[in-house]
Amino acid sequence: MKRALITGITGQDGSYLAELLIEKGYKVYGLTRRSSTIVTDRISHLKGKIEILSGDLLDQPSLIEAMETSRPDEIYNLAAQSFVQTSWNQPVLTAEFTAVGVTRVLEAMRKVCPKARFYQASSSEMFGKVQAVPQIESTPFYPRSPYGVAKLYGHWITINYRESFNLHASSGILFNHESPRRGIEFVTRKITYHVAMIKHGLANELRLGNLDARRDWGFAGDYVEAMWLMLQQDQPDDYVIAMNETHSVQEFVELAFAKADLDWKKYVKIDERYMRPAEVDLLIGDPARAKKKLGWEPKTSFKQLVHMMVDADMQLIAEMKKLGRGPAI
């Protein structure tokens, strides 16, 4: 039985990846930070199927201990401060988690289990002010946020450890990937959650920033398969994972509101508070290399993704109303 250690297992990607690995017969360990509040909602259905270890990307000894306990064949580093907007308010903390934290994980791996295979969650935000359209693995990086800069450090330190210590370390340059498990603070989930709230009479507006920003959006459940495929290759490498199509925030809004038979223009308000200091206007990735070398293919279309998220939030809000619970905004 293969053993895998997932940092960030309580997040969107971590939960989908854990499901995938369990299906493939892995013994799955998940690293979580100690918290006084419950943060395991996304993996509660996996109770008894995974083993949770306590650890923190800011604490080197805890990472070493987690690897000594799990003795993983594969390590998936998905933990990070992953919200771009927050990175402007907490740039130093973002750097500690999202940049230097990668080094701590790699150092622990090098000392405890150097024969393991390592996956680093890189990001399309590293392209930022894009230098070519579409973006591929060799497109120059130009990050436009503390988050993007931190991710770029994590990406390059992974390459350096791969080349310097002969580690099987790969990075997935994943473009935006969403799901019903996305945090409400992210624009896609914020949209679908508010659509459900408005439909159920619990809200009367949705405040957003730049509706013209364009992203390459895919389904997180499809993208975690690409992570796994990277670690099954003989040679480690870096891959762009994307849909090779771009849609504006407004397009997402239009589809989401239409799914609930609502006119988005009646409810959406532009709010300067949600404008980024430096905007990333256009991201679109070409996953040709991943398709050719990994045999990876996305299964979920943009429209299917939006409808899936609206349906899930409509059900969530309906259940909240039935239980008499107040929705979280």
Side-chain angles (χ1 to χ4, degrees):
M1 180 184 285
K2 277 190 175 181
R3 300 157 73 91
L5 174 64
I6 304 172
T7 74
I9 196 170
T10 59
Q12 168 188 258
D13 293 7
S15 65
Y16 281 112
L17 178 62
E19 288 176 350
L20 177 73
L21 295 179
I22 289 167
E23 287 173 11
K24 293 183 179 296
Y26 281 65
K27 169 69 174 175
V28 176
Y29 295 83
L31 189 78
T32 64
R33 299 171 64 202
R34 188 195 172 281
S35 174
S36 58
T37 56
I38 297 172
V39 294
T40 57
D41 288 355
R42 294 186 183 95
I43 56 171
S44 57
H45 63 295
L46 300 177
K47 190 175 181 181
K49 297 180 181 180
I50 58 177
E51 188 168 330
I52 296 298
L53 304 175
S54 182
D56 196 312
L57 261 62
L58 303 186
D59 182 44
Q60 185 81 43
S62 71
L63 298 175
I64 291 172
E65 185 176 342
M67 290 187 195
E68 287 175 339
T69 300
S70 59
R71 290 288 167 179
D73 300 292
E74 297 173 4
I75 300 164
Y76 296 86
N77 184 40
L78 310 184
Q81 189 302 99
S82 58
F83 190 41
V84 175
Q85 194 71 35
T86 296
S87 78
W88 288 105
N89 300 325
Q90 298 180 309
V92 176
L93 184 67
T94 299
E96 284 289 349
F97 273 116
T98 309
V100 184
V102 184
T103 312
R104 295 189 186 101
V105 178
L106 285 164
E107 267 296 287
M109 172 187 170
R110 186 170 73 89
K111 290 175 179 175
V112 178
C113 46
K115 297 301 182 185
R117 297 187 173 192
F118 177 83
Y119 171 83
Q120 166 59 16
S122 289
S123 168
S124 59
E125 288 288 330
M126 301 187 309
F127 292 119
K129 188 176 180 180
V130 298
Q131 304 299 293
V133 178
Q135 292 89 56
I136 60 175
E137 290 80 3
S138 59
T139 301
F141 298 118
Y142 197 139
R144 296 270 281 171
S145 67
Y147 170 78
V149 172
K151 277 293 184 184
L152 187 53
Y153 174 100
H155 181 77
W156 275 111
I157 201 68
T158 300
I159 292 172
N160 271 262
Y161 269 66
R162 176 169 76 210
E163 295 177 350
S164 301
F165 303 116
N166 198 31
L167 299 182
H168 194 295
S170 298
S171 288
I173 307 173
L174 270 58
F175 280 64
N176 293 65
H177 47 290
E178 318 296 322
S179 77
R181 299 179 193 174
R182 193 55 138 157
I184 295 172
E185 70 273 18
F186 289 86
V187 68
T188 51
R189 182 74 196 291
K190 180 180 178 180
I191 293 166
T192 61
Y193 190 81
H194 277 76
V195 164
M197 291 272 288
I198 292 167
K199 187 68 175 177
H200 282 280
L202 298 175
N204 54 25
E205 68 175 24
L206 166 60
R207 292 185 170 269
L208 295 172
N210 181 13
L211 296 185
D212 296 324
R214 303 185 69 85
R215 295 291 184 272
D216 186 324
W217 276 301
F219 174 48
D222 293 341
Y223 284 33
V224 298
E225 184 186 13
M227 300 177 186
W228 176 78
L229 285 168
M230 288 180 212
L231 299 200
Q232 311 317 305
Q233 307 306 304
D234 292 334
Q235 297 299 320
D237 211 338
D238 307 321
Y239 297 90
V240 163
I241 305 299
M243 298 290 287
N244 200 21
E245 58 184 58
T246 186
H247 301 275
S248 67
V249 173
Q250 183 169 316
E251 286 178 71
F252 198 107
V253 166
E254 290 171 354
L255 270 176
F257 275 84
K259 175 65 174 168
D261 296 318
L262 295 170
D263 180 359
W264 72 274
K265 293 179 181 176
K266 292 181 180 178
Y267 305 101
V268 175
K269 312 290 184 197
I270 303 303
D271 192 326
E272 293 295 325
R273 289 178 300 168
Y274 300 113
M275 297 289 188
R276 293 184 185 180
E279 184 57 86
V280 175
D281 296 313
L282 171 63
L283 290 174
I284 175 170
D286 182 356
R289 196 155 173 270
K291 289 183 176 184
K292 182 180 179 181
K293 289 199 167 188
L294 304 178
W296 177 77
E297 287 286 346
K299 303 176 182 70
T300 311
S301 71
F302 175 67
K303 186 175 182 179
Q304 288 172 327
L305 171 65
V306 177
H307 286 183
M308 175 201 306
M309 293 177 68
V310 172
D311 287 343
D313 277 327
M314 291 288 281
Q315 183 178 342
L316 175 66
I317 298 302
E319 289 172 358
M320 281 183 172
K321 284 183 72 176
K322 192 183 297 183
L323 294 170
R325 289 168 53 193
I329 300 181

